[in-house]
Amino acid sequence: MSDATAAPAPAARRPLMPLDDALARLMAQAQPLAGIEDCNTFDADGRVLARDLVAALTVPPADNSAMDGYAVRTADCAAPGTVLRVAQRIPAGSTGEPLAAGTAARIFTGAPIPPGADAVVMQEDTEALPEEGSLGRVRVTNLPQAGQWIRRAGEDVERGSVVLAAGQRLTPQALGLAASIGFASLPVRRRPRVAMLSTGDELVMPGTIAPEAMPPGAIYNSNRFFLRALLLRMGCEVQDLGLVPDRLEATIDGLRAAASQNDLIITTGGVSVGEEDHVKAAVQSLGTLEHWALAIKPGKPFAYGTIARPALEEGGRELCHVCGLPGNPVSSFMTFLLLVRPFLMGLLGTTQAVPDAVQMTAGFDWPRPDRRREFLRARIGADGRLALFSNQSSGVLTSTVWGDGVIDNPGGQAIAVGDTVRFIPFSAWLA
């Protein structure tokens, strides 16, 4: 065959983007949102702290008893069976007198240690000896050690210390700690405003058509339900724009409306290269969009872009971010967890963006790995080893319900029974 009639060379395949590179590029755009709110401490669970909390007092404010029992001087308890006169009674909320030699003070959990006492004997290690007209005496059955059952002043919080740092996502225990140093309200980042829209004429909302009446090729829109739940768990304000028809003009109109009121738009479907996938062209007509082919499975197609809009807060114009997720449900679920969730954390200014993997033992064989980095749905068996869901297809949402999490498996890495693998539990993402 001559050069003139030779077949054209095939187009070079675009290299796949490693997940870590995609995440780094995405996080570089995740500038913390403007706007700080005062939130009642009762209602601040899950919010992100906007400023450091500095303690204005010491906790506990004084040495206090960790047990119900008796405050004593260890020098008075030279041998088991020592009997001491009970000279005073100190409930929590009151202050005792200096402890005289040869005496004990009946004391209760949280009560301040009287001057002179250097240990607390819990009541299980004593025998009360009542005497009419007095507080009685007490027999110490076990010898105390200096400092036992005493909580020292400031061992929890020191005055002037940063108790909770800006960027921390508040947990129930953090709220308790904030309350313990007197904070009735907390400065938090405002909630991200996120719009969701789906594309695809094949999608049907549950409840609109009965299963037996579904037309050929139609599927129920499951992505909308788990994405909304994930966003709400993160504390986002969610606007659901519903299903946008697979037409360019309709997609542009939907995106323009969403960008005017939100910080982020999440689309599902329409980010691959099919002729009916209009999200890329629609976003590019309003701003910018990059289509990324990720080296992960599931979840190869992903898009990121921006749409300029009037600022939601005072001052100037700003950008509405756009994240385009693939349409297959497991791919959509995983790309949200791997990319969109940390991006939202970045908008909130939090340092808790990506959960850590734990080392676990495989209880299965995976002899034919994909060349891409895989996130295999698995769960912990009764023997403590990981079991693998039988069907790892990106369309099998059952795998995410059956599994406890995913195995983060490097591209091309085979797995054999007994191998150590990296496991990320869903609980770490869904908290």
Side-chain angles (χ1 to χ4, degrees):
M1 181 181 295
S2 67
D3 291 342
T5 58
R13 177 182 292 178
R14 183 171 55 157
L16 300 180
M17 183 184 298
L19 175 62
D20 292 342
D21 291 354
L23 183 59
R25 292 176 65 173
L26 200 59
M27 296 305 292
Q29 307 302 318
Q31 300 303 311
L33 298 172
I36 296 175
E37 305 171 351
D38 279 329
C39 182
N40 189 299
T41 304
F42 274 123
D43 302 321
D45 184 35
R47 303 296 296 270
V48 173
L49 197 61
R51 291 189 291 267
D52 291 346
L53 290 194
V54 179
L57 76 168
T58 296
V59 181
D63 292 355
N64 69 85
S65 179
M67 287 284 179
D68 290 349
Y70 295 86
V72 300
R73 299 158 59 103
T74 54
D76 294 334
C77 304
T82 296
V83 175
L84 302 173
R85 180 173 63 88
V86 181
Q88 54 184 307
R89 185 176 185 274
I90 313 173
S94 64
T95 302
E97 300 294 329
L99 188 67
T103 69
R106 181 72 167 112
I107 197 167
F108 297 88
T109 303
I113 301 297
D118 62 355
V120 171
V121 183
M122 62 181 179
Q123 62 189 29
E124 292 87 345
D125 291 335
T126 65
E127 180 184 352
L129 305 172
E131 289 182 353
E132 188 174 349
S134 72
L135 294 176
R137 295 179 300 159
V138 62
R139 177 177 287 115
V140 179
T141 56
N142 287 328
L143 292 182
Q145 300 295 315
Q148 77 175 30
W149 302 122
I150 294 178
R151 295 185 293 211
R152 297 300 181 186
E155 72 174 29
D156 189 3
V157 176
E158 294 185 1
R159 182 176 181 176
S161 64
V162 174
V163 175
L164 295 170
Q168 183 168 345
R169 195 171 184 213
L170 296 166
T171 60
Q173 54 270 40
L175 301 185
L177 182 57
S180 77
I181 56 173
F183 282 89
S185 64
L186 300 171
V188 298
R189 293 279 181 187
R190 72 166 175 85
R191 298 180 185 275
R193 302 177 181 116
V194 183
M196 297 192 316
L197 62 87
S198 303
T199 64
D201 288 339
E202 75 280 8
L203 297 177
V204 174
M205 281 298 290
T208 58
I209 300 177
E212 61 273 14
M214 287 280 279
I219 57 173
Y220 288 120
N221 188 346
S222 60
N223 295 6
R224 231 161 117 186
F225 289 83
F226 63 71
L227 289 173
R228 182 177 184 275
L230 288 166
L231 290 166
L232 291 176
R233 285 200 178 198
M234 294 187 65
C236 299
E237 295 179 8
V238 182
Q239 181 182 18
D240 189 347
L241 301 181
L243 181 63
V244 176
D246 275 339
R247 294 187 294 276
L248 180 60
E249 295 77 9
T251 306
I252 292 173
D253 291 343
L255 289 169
R256 182 184 290 112
S260 68
Q261 303 175 50
N262 294 281
D263 305 299
L264 171 65
I265 300 170
I266 297 177
T267 70
T268 56
V271 296
S272 61
V273 294
E275 293 180 2
E276 299 302 318
D277 292 336
H278 299 302
V279 170
K280 182 176 181 179
V283 175
Q284 288 177 333
S285 73
L286 301 170
T288 63
L289 188 76
E290 295 181 4
H291 180 272
W292 301 344
L294 304 179
I296 62 173
K297 183 180 181 180
K300 179 180 175 182
F302 184 84
Y304 170 74
T306 58
I307 298 174
R309 57 157 168 79
L312 295 178
E313 309 299 328
E314 292 185 3
R317 292 174 63 83
E318 58 181 35
L319 298 176
C320 175
H321 304 277
V322 181
C323 287
L325 308 184
N328 281 329
V330 183
S331 298
S332 183
F333 180 72
M334 287 308 307
T335 50
F336 181 95
L337 297 181
L338 294 167
L339 292 166
V340 180
R341 183 183 183 276
F343 180 75
L344 283 166
M345 290 296 194
L347 294 183
L348 284 166
T350 181
T351 57
Q352 303 164 334
V354 180
D356 294 327
V358 295
Q359 302 293 316
M360 295 198 68
T361 301
F364 61 89
D365 291 317
W366 187 247
R368 292 181 294 278
D370 195 88
R371 66 187 180 94
R372 292 174 282 168
R373 182 175 174 180
E374 298 173 295
F375 291 90
L376 307 170
R377 278 75 72 204
R379 73 178 178 190
I380 303 170
D383 60 357
R385 295 186 172 196
L386 291 173
L388 199 66
F389 193 73
S390 59
N391 189 338
Q392 293 289 320
S393 168
S394 62
V396 180
L397 199 55
T398 306
S399 65
T400 64
V401 177
W402 179 91
D404 296 323
V406 295
I407 296 167
D408 181 359
N409 192 46
Q413 178 68 56
I415 301 172
V417 171
D419 285 352
T420 298
V421 295
R422 289 166 40 86
F423 182 69
I424 307 174
F426 287 138
S427 60
W429 272 311
L430 303 182

